[in-house]
Amino acid sequence: MIRSLRFRLTAWYLGFCALLLVLFSVFLYGVLSRALESRLDQTLTSDAVTAAGLLEDEMGEMNGDAPRAAAEAVSEMQIRGVVIAVFDSGKLLASSATDESADWTSLAAGTAAATDSVRAVPEYGRYGARAAARRLRVRSHEFLVLAVASLGPIVSDLRVLRGVLYLALPLVLALAGIGGFWLTRRALMPLNYMAAQARTITSSNLHDRLNIGDAAEELNVLAVSFNELLSRLDQSFETMRRFVADASHELRTPLSIIRGEADVALSRDRSPAEYQEALALIQDETRRLTRLVDDLLNLARADAGHVRLQVQDFYLNDLLSDCCRSVQALALARTITLECSCSEDVTFRGDEELVRRMVINLLDNAIRYTPAGGRVSASLETQRSELRLRISDTGLGIAPEAATHVFERFYRVDKARSRQEGGFGLGLAIVKWVAESHHGAVEVTSQPGAGSTFTVVLHR
């Protein structure tokens, strides 16, 4: 099987040209054949009419002598390739034929019923003939005038045409194949150029792009699509590099603390209280590591598409109330007022545990970034088929240049403060993933020094 696109395109082009040429040849042959026969029929009809007129005139001049009148009329109609014959009541009176082998009796009988028309005479001559008949009545004589012509010249002309077509078709197809192959090769040259450029692009130079110059529109579309793919890959690789670097950094800090505490505890004998204090610190850092690894594993599964939602119907207003009660202790510890408002039952179909985690992350984030004496509010609104979950705070706010990055993994507006508060920069990334996995979206509006509002839009 030929796998070359160049040869396949050339073969399809050649096959299409061959089909068109054959159809055109058949059409040309048929049209020319009918045209030649039609022209012959018109000539024979005209000759028959002329001979009939001469016969009628000669009958008047020769006082009704039919044989002499017929012979005279035939002698005046000496036309090359056309035989004029005159019959009187089925009897041949005269003809201009030099070959007397023709069966004029059967010919006259066969054309008698086709008077004033033209018919084929297959039994006349080698190639058959066409005959035009004209009937007239003069002085009690019933005359039949025939004009007969052999189809030999037409057959000869068509034979020449067939010979030309048989010779021309292979030659034209050969030239079309060569031209098609050259055109296909020229049209596909930019593909080879694109392939050569693509081979030079690796993970270290994903910023490079294909450039094919002034190529065809279809190839430009392909190049643009490939360049867009490179842009997405470059962005993905950059995100992965940053993700690995940030994850390594986040893992290194608690591991360093654990190792340091263990080294200090083992450096000399300690009292039970000192060992207990060291173990408590190691336990806290281990919990932080466990939470970080769990978050990373969930995000990795989400990226790979291995997380299956446990979809069920539940009341979103009840879930919001439960989440507010869960973080109430954290808000009281920071002397922050927590308000939760949702007066009506709102049903939603989705993964209840993931939605609960999304709401907890938003509430926890709002409380952690709101100073003492501030206020955090949670509300649920319904707008036709949309549900809007809003978490607002009176905290520090987010700068405009940072608002577009807050949903990125490991991104922190204030890195030092976030690490002190125990965050990893994954909470909002998980919020975004949960919202999008439920075919929703999350957005943030914030003003530095006046607080932030996170809005999750879900569809029922």
Side-chain angles (χ1 to χ4, degrees), residues 398-412:
I398 304 172
E401 61 274 10
T404 57
H405 301 285
V406 293
F407 296 105
E408 296 178 4
R409 300 171 188 181
F410 295 110
Y411 183 82
R412 296 189 182 93

Side-chain angles (χ1 to χ4, degrees), residues 209-221:
R209 296 294 179 265
L210 296 184
N211 182 15
I212 59 174
D214 188 18
E217 180 180 356
E218 293 78 6
L219 295 179
N220 273 322
V221 171

Side-chain angles (χ1 to χ4, degrees), residues 43-55 58 69-86 95-97 145-148:
T43 301
L44 292 177
T45 300
S46 177
D47 292 342
V49 171
T50 302
L54 290 175
L55 177 60
E58 292 297 335
E72 188 66 24
V74 169
S75 65
E76 294 182 12
M77 292 292 295
Q78 296 295 326
I79 305 173
R80 183 178 180 181
V82 179
V83 175
I84 304 296
V86 179
S95 82
S96 61
V145 180
L146 292 181
V148 184

Side-chain angles (χ1 to χ4, degrees), residues 206-209 224-237:
L206 283 174
H207 57 277
D208 291 344
R209 296 294 179 265
V224 169
S225 301
F226 190 80
N227 286 336
E228 291 175 351
L229 173 62
L230 288 177
S231 297
R232 293 192 295 270
L233 287 175
D234 190 17
Q235 184 177 2
S236 299
F237 269 77

Side-chain angles (χ1 to χ4, degrees), residues 17-89:
C17 287
L19 178 61
L20 287 181
L21 288 175
V22 169
L23 292 178
F24 174 74
S25 299
V26 172
F27 173 76
L28 177 64
Y29 188 87
V31 169
L32 182 59
S33 176
R34 286 192 296 271
L36 291 176
E37 287 188 2
S38 176
R39 183 176 179 181
L40 179 60
D41 291 346
Q42 293 176 2
T43 301
L44 292 177
T45 300
S46 177
D47 292 342
V49 171
T50 302
L54 290 175
L55 177 60
E56 187 175 5
D57 293 341
E58 292 297 335
M59 283 290 291
E61 293 178 1
M62 297 184 180
N63 296 322
D65 189 350
R68 290 183 58 194
E72 188 66 24
V74 169
S75 65
E76 294 182 12
M77 292 292 295
Q78 296 295 326
I79 305 173
R80 183 178 180 181
V82 179
V83 175
I84 304 296
V86 179
F87 297 84
D88 185 3
S89 300

Side-chain angles (χ1 to χ4, degrees), residues 190-201 210:
L191 284 179
N192 296 329
Y193 183 55
M194 291 171 61
Q197 292 185 75
R199 293 189 190 98
T200 63
I201 298 177
L210 296 184

Side-chain angles (χ1 to χ4, degrees), residues 89-200:
S89 300
K91 179 182 178 181
L92 179 63
L93 295 181
S95 82
S96 61
T98 58
D99 184 6
E100 297 297 336
S101 63
D103 188 359
W104 292 105
T105 301
S106 60
L107 185 61
T111 55
T115 305
D116 298 333
S117 63
V118 182
R119 65 180 291 267
V121 187
E123 64 274 10
Y124 183 89
R126 179 180 178 184
Y127 301 105
R130 302 284 293 178
R134 185 75 177 178
R135 184 183 294 276
L136 71 157
R137 186 178 184 84
V138 182
R139 295 186 179 184
S140 72
H141 291 275
E142 190 74 24
F143 292 107
L144 177 65
V145 180
L146 292 181
V148 184
S150 173
L151 292 176
I154 294 179
V155 173
S156 179
D157 292 341
L158 293 178
R159 184 185 298 115
V160 173
L161 176 61
R162 287 197 302 271
V164 172
L165 292 178
Y166 291 153
L167 179 64
L169 281 178
L171 180 61
V172 171
L173 288 178
L175 293 176
I178 295 173
F181 183 81
W182 180 79
L183 290 175
T184 304
R185 182 180 180 184
R186 182 177 178 84
L188 295 179
M189 282 181 61
L191 284 179
N192 296 329
Y193 183 55
M194 291 171 61
Q197 292 185 75
R199 293 189 190 98
T200 63

